[in-house]
């Protein structure tokens, strides 16, 4: 390691290795830093910003630094403020979505939106899409709101507008999606709302379509830095390209080997083809790993090497020693859970804190057997990625009131609070109100507050008048710019929301009361830390919170999470469980080599979370879909030299402590089940599954509603777009995946 010299006073406080130092001080054009896992990319990003501010005399406000989590942004900001000894005023640092939201608040009028626009979450999207499907008389069982939301998200990630989508040729299903997409965008605009993907797409459209706005920000931001560049989608790539178009001062940091979000639009080729898009790029490669021991890194390097589409790099250990990686074979998933629990208990009894250990799995469904086992053993655990605090009913109720106050056009929020707490406003009144508002061409709240309520009965009038009174009083407080937490407290008092919960003596109500009080505490603290910010600012921050942003490692609880969720984290001991074909990699990706490569990268991400000890395991049979299913070890294990780990076989009878022996893997173990294997005929191993969209030569587009049996003899019930339900046998149906 070296320290900066030659007058770089700020960098003197940052210990950098030679490659890191060179990357930080280079200023000859666009830069791409391939930062392998644990190689200090946050240190490099922070040092780069410090270098730009002190050495290049760039103002903090002229730096645009995009991260992928709020936690990463907060950590970088805190490090910078420690280095400079004072707040970095004006620095644009945050997630892509938060920075784009900030930009759009300032320029919303150009796109026909008010600055107080609402940001819809996935639940809001689904509610709005349900209304549109109902309006178009489309059966939700054929075209689910969430599948439509996914299709629309793909359009937005590629910055494809409804008009552009409609101009493309496609199937009947595609045309229906295009029609819904256009109606959905119209409804969003009417509600003065943007969804999560809109924050990126609308920012791109803003820079593309308004030359004066683009010129302003291109001149204003003199440097653009991007963290986790391998996870950018097309919209983020377009945004960076547009923002840096005049000066090309782009500093991108990422690791193609950790690109694991292709399923939600990330394009790994963004980082692999960076040089083609940014002329004169200088590439730096960080390979010195400061997190993991040598045995773990050897295992990781062996695991990722088979990927063809990657930049060649090999992690090098800086920490001496280390215990071998352990690969264990178990009889079934319960034996696997028991063994993991035994190891956890022994580690906790030793020197390792529970919070320094993690069980990582491919899907959330795998957590159940581990949760049950840990509860029985009285081992405290924390499931990360479950129901978020801000997704709980009572919290969403309170936020809906605040959102509606900030944006009276938000009908989705109004519908949520219409009868919460109960006001005698049932579905009949809601339907009548929607019709009445449509006639008046106003939002629901505007109609309640400004139109005569004569069309409604006495009971409904009282309930609607109650809502009107609440929002008139809250509106006056907001106009006086009273603090958000005082507005929330007043809302709870005026509506009697807490009183209603207190009248219910159930344990659920007690928890909900505690959660509401915690929201008041959170808003009070936020207001103290951000005295100059408004209610809209708070609502925006809440809408952009992710699971990892809410995660807080505790010393007393073992962490349970998916490998996707674990990205960016580190633990002293890691258990990678369920390393089986059909799970990791997922069976649905077997026939797509690019997706298999992403699954291998996911495996690599899981491996490189471990600092001191890594345990990988698989079971020979697993209870899935209500039956015991034979399983085979993950094909990814075959790529790893057997000298890189210790193999333990307890499949005949689990009885710790296990013995170490040479693994007896056959080619079949790693190739994955073939159609000739006896155990291949299960719902999980064939190409069809419930909820799948399919095409039939005669009946057209359909959706699989139910499945019975296995393999070629599988019987399916399919609902087609003409309304007919037909029972089919897999080997005769000749269905195509839509």
């Amino acid at each position: 390691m070296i320290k900066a010299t030659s007058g770089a006073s700020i960098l003197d406080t940052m210990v950098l290795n030679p490659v890191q130092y060179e990357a930080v001080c280079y200023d000859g054009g666009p830069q791409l830093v391939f930062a392998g896992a644990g190689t200090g990319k946050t240190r490099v990003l922070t040092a780069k910003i410090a270098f730009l501010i002190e050495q290049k005399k760039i103002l903090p406000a002229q730096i645009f630094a995009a991260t992928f989590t709020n936690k990463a942004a907060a950590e970088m900001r805190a490090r910078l403020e420690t280095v400079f000894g004072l707040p970095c005023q004006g620095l644009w640092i945050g997630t892509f979505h938060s920075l784009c939201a900030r930009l759009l608040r300032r320029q919303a009028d150009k796109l026909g939106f008010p600055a107080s626009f609402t940001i819809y979450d996935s639940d809001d999207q689904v509610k709005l899409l349900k209304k549109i499907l109902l309006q178009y008389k489309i059966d939700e069982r054929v075209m689910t709101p969430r599948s439509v939301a996914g299709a629309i998200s793909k359009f937005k990630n590629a910055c494809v507008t409804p008009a552009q989508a409609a101009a493309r040729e496609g199937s009947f299903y595609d045309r229906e999606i295009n029609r819904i997409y256009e109606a959905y965008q119209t409804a969003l605009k009417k509600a003065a709302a943007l969804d999560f993907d809109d924050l990126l797409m609308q920012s791109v459209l803003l820079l593309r379509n308004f030359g004066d706005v683009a010129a302003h920000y291109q001149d204003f931001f003199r440097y653009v830095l991007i963290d986790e560049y391998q996870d950018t989608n097309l919209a983020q790539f377009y945004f960076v390209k547009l923002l840096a178009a005049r000066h090309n001062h782009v500093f991108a940091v990422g690791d193609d080997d950790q690109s694991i979000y292709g399923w939600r639009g990330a394009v790994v080729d963004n980082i692999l083809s960076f040089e083609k898009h940014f002329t004169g790029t200088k590439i730096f490669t960080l390979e010195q790993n400061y997190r993991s021991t040598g045995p773990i890194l050897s295992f990781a390097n062996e695991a990722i090497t088979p990927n063809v589409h990657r930049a060649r790099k090999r992690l090098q250990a800086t920490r001496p020693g280390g215990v071998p990686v352990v690969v264990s074979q178990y009889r079934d998933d319960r034996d696997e859970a028991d063994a993991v629990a035994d190891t956890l208990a022994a580690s906790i009894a030793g020197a390792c804190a529970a919070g320094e250990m993690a069980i990582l799995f491919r899907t959330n469904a795998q957590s159940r057997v581990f949760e049950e086992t840990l509860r029985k053993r009285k081992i405290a655990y924390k499931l990360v990625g479950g129901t978020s605090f801000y997704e709980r009913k009572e919290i969403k109720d309170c936020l809906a009131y605040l959102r509606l106050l900030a944006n009276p056009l938000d009908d989705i929020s109004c519908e949520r609070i219409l009868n919460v707490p109960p006001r005698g406003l049932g579905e009949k009144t809601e339907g009548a109100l929607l019709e009445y508002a449509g006639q008046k061409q106003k939002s629901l709240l505007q109609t309640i507050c400004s139109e005569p309520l004569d069309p409604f009965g006495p009971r409904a009038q009282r309930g609607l008048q109650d809502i009107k009174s609440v929002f008139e009083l809250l509106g006056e407080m907001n106009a006086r710019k009273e603090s958000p937490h005082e507005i929330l407290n007043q809302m709870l008092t005026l509506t009697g929301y807490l009183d209603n919960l207190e009248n219910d003596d159930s344990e659920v109500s007690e928890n909900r009361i505690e959660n509401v009080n915690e929201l008041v505490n959170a808003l009070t603290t936020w207001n103290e830390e951000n005295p100059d910010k408004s209610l809209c600012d708070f609502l925006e921050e809440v809408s952009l919170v992710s699971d990892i942003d809410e995660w807080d490692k505790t010393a007393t609880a073992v962490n349970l999470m998916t490998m996707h969720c674990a990205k960016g984290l580190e633990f002293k001991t890691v258990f990678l469980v369920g390393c089986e074909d059909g799970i990791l990699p997922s069976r649905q990706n077997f026939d797509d080599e690019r997706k298999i490569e992403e699954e291998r990268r996911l495996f690599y991400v899981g491996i490189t979370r471990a600092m001191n000890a890594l345990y990988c395991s698989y079971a020979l049979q697993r209870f899935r879909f209500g039956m015991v299913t034979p399983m085979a070890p993950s094909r990814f294990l075959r790529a790893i030299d057997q000298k890189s780990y210790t193999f333990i076989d307890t499949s005949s009878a689990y009885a710790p402590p296990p013995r170490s022996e040479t693994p007896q893997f056959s080619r079949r173990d790693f190739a994955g089940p073939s159609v000739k294997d006896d155990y291949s005929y299960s719902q999980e191993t064939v190409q069809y599954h419930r909820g799948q969209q399919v095409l039939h030569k005669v009946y057209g587009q359909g959706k699989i509603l139910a499945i019975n049996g296995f393999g070629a003899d599988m019987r399916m019930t399919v609902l087609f777009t003409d309304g007919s339900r037909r029972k089919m046998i897999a080997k005769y149906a000749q269905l195509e995946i839509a």
Side-chain angles (χ1 to χ4, degrees):
M1 304 293 284
I2 64 173
K3 286 188 177 183
T5 56
S6 67
S9 60
I10 289 295
L11 294 187
D12 279 333
T13 66
M14 298 180 175
V15 180
L16 302 169
N17 67 37
V19 181
Q20 290 173 335
Y21 180 68
E22 185 183 358
V24 167
C25 296
Y26 178 79
D27 193 41
Q31 296 173 252
L32 173 62
V33 179
F34 280 112
T39 58
K41 69 178 179 61
T42 302
R43 180 190 299 271
V44 170
L45 274 164
T46 306
K48 185 69 175 184
I49 296 174
F51 169 79
L52 292 174
I53 293 172
E54 186 183 56
Q55 299 296 307
K56 304 303 294 184
K57 306 305 179 185
I58 294 177
L59 297 174
Q62 296 175 313
I63 297 172
F64 184 98
T67 66
F68 269 78
T69 66
N70 293 308
K71 273 188 178 293
E75 180 182 351
M76 286 175 61
R77 183 182 291 276
R79 287 192 188 187
L80 283 167
E81 291 179 349
T82 298
V83 166
F84 284 103
L86 48 85
C88 294
Q89 297 293 340
L91 179 64
W92 282 57
I93 183 169
T95 65
F96 263 107
H97 291 88
S98 66
L99 293 176
C100 285
R102 182 176 171 184
L103 185 152
L104 289 173
R105 296 276 182 210
R106 300 182 177 194
Q107 304 291 338
D109 61 312
K110 295 282 197 305
L111 300 169
F113 286 87
S116 60
F117 62 78
T118 299
I119 301 174
Y120 276 3
D121 63 17
S122 59
D123 286 343
D124 299 322
Q125 284 182 277
V126 167
K127 287 176 184 176
L128 185 55
L129 285 169
K130 281 187 174 183
K131 290 176 134 186
I132 295 171
L133 292 172
L134 183 62
Q135 176 188 338
Y136 286 169
K137 298 180 180 178
I138 297 175
D139 193 328
E140 285 187 26
R141 294 170 298 178
V142 176
M143 191 176 283
T144 68
R146 292 201 181 276
S147 67
V148 175
I152 291 174
S153 180
K154 288 181 180 178
F155 280 136
K156 293 187 177 184
N157 284 338
C159 292
V160 176
T161 65
Q164 291 169 329
R168 298 179 174 183
E169 294 184 3
S171 64
F172 171 78
Y173 181 82
D174 294 331
R175 293 194 298 274
E176 287 291 271
I177 289 291
N178 295 342
R179 189 162 67 114
I180 296 168
Y181 180 22
E182 183 176 10
Y184 173 71
Q185 287 303 101
T186 300
L188 282 176
K189 198 156 194 177
K190 182 182 176 183
L194 299 175
D195 65 25
F196 204 58
D197 296 316
D198 270 325
L199 297 175
L200 300 176
M201 184 179 81
Q202 295 295 342
S203 295
V204 171
L205 297 180
L206 178 71
L207 297 182
R208 275 184 182 172
N209 300 334
F210 297 92
D212 58 332
V213 175
H216 169 73
Y217 285 107
Q218 287 164 354
D219 288 339
F220 182 75
F221 292 116
R222 294 179 57 190
Y223 231 104
V224 179
L225 296 90
I226 311 101
D227 188 14
E228 305 284 11
Y229 192 74
Q230 78 282 351
D231 290 332
T232 54
N233 59 26
L234 284 176
Q236 288 158 332
F237 164 73
Y238 293 146
F239 181 78
V240 171
K241 187 72 175 170
L242 285 164
L243 195 61
R246 292 203 174 189
H247 51 67
N248 228 18
H249 288 158
V250 179
F251 181 81
V253 181
D255 181 10
D256 54 303
D257 288 336
Q258 296 186 75
S259 180
I260 58 173
Y261 294 114
W263 50 277
R264 70 181 189 193
V267 181
V268 68
D269 286 339
N270 282 354
I271 192 170
L272 294 176
S273 62
F274 187 90
E275 293 173 274
K276 296 178 183 178
H277 300 292
F278 297 95
T279 306
T281 294
K282 174 80 170 175
I283 293 179
F284 301 86
T285 303
L286 306 183
E287 296 178 303
Q288 287 185 264
N289 177 286
Y290 301 99
R291 174 188 300 156
S292 307
T293 60
I296 293 172
L297 295 182
S298 295
F299 191 81
N301 288 327
E302 293 285 342
I304 198 62
T305 296
N307 272 9
V308 174
H309 302 93
R310 63 183 293 258
R312 296 297 160 183
K313 70 184 85 66
R314 191 171 183 84
L315 295 179
Q316 301 169 8
T318 59
R319 298 177 56 198
V323 297
V325 173
V326 175
V327 175
S328 299
Q329 172 179 285
Y330 296 104
R331 180 184 57 194
D332 56 32
D333 48 348
R334 291 201 172 277
D335 280 355
E336 180 184 43
D338 284 339
V340 169
D342 283 344
T343 306
L344 284 169
S347 298
I348 293 170
C352 194
E356 297 288 353
M357 297 183 284
I359 302 174
L360 307 183
F361 30 76
R362 176 65 177 81
T363 65
N364 277 311
Q366 293 171 255
S367 72
R368 181 190 60 82
V369 66
F370 291 97
E371 289 187 72
E372 291 178 355
T373 303
L374 295 179
R375 280 198 298 268
K376 289 178 183 175
R377 302 290 188 88
K378 300 189 185 309
I379 298 175
Y381 68 88
K382 184 174 187 177
L383 182 62
V384 181
T387 302
S388 162
F389 176 78
Y390 291 104
E391 291 176 351
R392 292 167 183 164
K393 179 188 180 303
E394 59 277 12
I395 302 304
K396 289 180 77 73
D397 287 344
C398 293
L399 293 178
Y401 273 98
L402 299 180
R403 283 172 39 165
L404 190 54
L405 178 63
N407 176 15
L409 300 179
D410 184 1
D411 282 355
I412 294 295
S413 292
C414 191
E415 288 178 33
R416 183 179 187 96
I417 60 91
L418 205 59
N419 201 42
V420 177
R423 298 185 176 92
L425 303 176
E427 291 183 8
K428 185 177 179 181
T429 302
E430 182 179 334
L433 178 61
L434 285 166
E435 184 178 353
Y436 189 40
Q439 293 170 0
K440 298 298 182 181
Q441 296 186 324
K442 293 183 177 181
S443 72
L444 296 181
L445 186 62
Q446 287 174 330
T447 303
I448 293 170
C449 293
S450 64
E451 295 294 333
L453 301 177
D454 298 339
F456 302 95
R459 185 181 180 190
Q461 285 188 29
R462 287 194 297 273
L464 294 172
Q465 185 61 49
D466 177 52
I467 293 175
K468 179 180 179 180
S469 300
V470 167
F471 279 94
E472 284 178 345
L473 289 168
L474 295 181
E476 291 173 4
M477 294 181 69
N478 199 34
R480 294 193 299 266
K481 296 185 178 180
E482 295 194 29
S483 61
H485 73 275
E486 290 173 343
I487 293 175
L488 175 58
N489 273 321
Q490 185 73 312
M491 182 279 290
L492 294 171
T493 301
L494 293 172
T495 61
Y497 189 90
L498 282 177
D499 293 337
N500 184 67
L501 288 177
E502 288 171 355
N503 290 333
D504 184 349
D505 294 331
S506 68
E507 184 176 342
V508 172
S509 290
E510 289 181 12
N511 290 335
R512 286 180 173 170
I513 291 170
E514 289 178 6
N515 289 335
V516 172
N517 286 327
E518 183 57 32
L519 177 63
V520 175
N521 294 338
L523 191 45
T524 302
T525 301
W526 179 87
N527 189 69
E528 291 172 351
E529 295 174 350
N530 304 276
D532 299 328
K533 290 190 176 182
S534 67
L535 178 61
C536 281
D537 294 316
F538 173 74
L539 294 172
E540 180 181 304
E541 288 188 22
V542 167
S543 67
L544 299 176
V545 167
S546 68
D547 291 334
I548 289 302
D549 290 326
E550 292 190 73
W551 176 74
D552 184 24
K553 182 164 65 175
T554 63
T556 57
V558 175
N559 299 277
L560 273 65
M561 65 183 78
T562 65
M563 295 176 199
H564 282 103
C565 200
K567 186 172 177 294
L569 305 179
E570 61 183 25
F571 304 93
K572 288 184 177 178
T573 302
V574 168
F575 298 84
L576 291 186
V577 299
C579 297
E580 298 144 24
D581 262 14
I583 296 178
L584 184 67
S586 171
R587 194 169 302 278
Q588 66 186 22
N589 294 330
F590 277 2
D591 298 326
D592 189 326
E593 185 54 39
R594 291 302 288 258
K595 290 184 178 179
I596 287 292
E597 287 204 352
E598 179 162 318
E599 295 269 335
R600 187 178 283 111
R601 293 194 293 267
L602 182 61
F603 182 48
Y604 174 83
V605 166
I607 293 168
T608 53
R609 299 312 93 198
M611 299 169 66
N612 299 340
L614 174 66
Y615 299 86
C616 298
S617 60
Y618 62 89
L620 297 179
Q621 58 185 20
R622 187 171 293 275
F623 195 72
R624 307 188 76 194
F625 305 106
M627 66 192 72
V628 175
T629 304
M631 305 298 290
S634 172
R635 63 190 65 188
F636 298 153
L637 291 173
R638 185 167 185 253
I640 302 174
D641 190 327
Q642 295 176 5
K643 297 178 182 177
S644 296
Y645 59 85
T646 298
F647 178 72
I648 296 174
D649 182 3
T650 64
S651 57
S652 56
Y654 170 63
R659 57 191 176 85
S660 175
E661 57 184 66
T662 303
Q664 302 298 317
F665 292 145
S666 67
R667 183 175 298 275
R668 165 173 164 166
D669 287 333
F670 290 99
S674 71
V675 294
K676 295 180 182 180
D677 292 328
D678 292 338
Y679 53 75
S680 68
Y681 295 127
S682 72
Q683 183 176 317
E684 177 65 9
T685 61
V686 297
Q687 60 178 321
Y688 305 119
H689 58 77
R690 284 189 294 271
Q692 194 170 40
Q693 298 286 341
V694 293
L695 287 172
H696 190 273
K697 292 181 180 178
V698 176
Y699 306 118
Q701 182 80 32
K703 177 183 175 182
I704 299 176
L705 297 181
I707 286 178
N708 290 302
F710 319 100
D713 295 323
M714 175 185 289
R715 284 170 160 69
M716 298 172 287
T717 300
V718 183
L719 176 65
F720 291 96
T721 52
D722 63 3
S724 64
R725 292 188 186 214
R726 300 186 182 275
K727 295 185 182 297
M728 299 181 164
I729 299 176
K731 61 185 174 185
Y732 303 124
Q734 295 184 328
L735 294 174
E736 295 181 14
I737 308 301

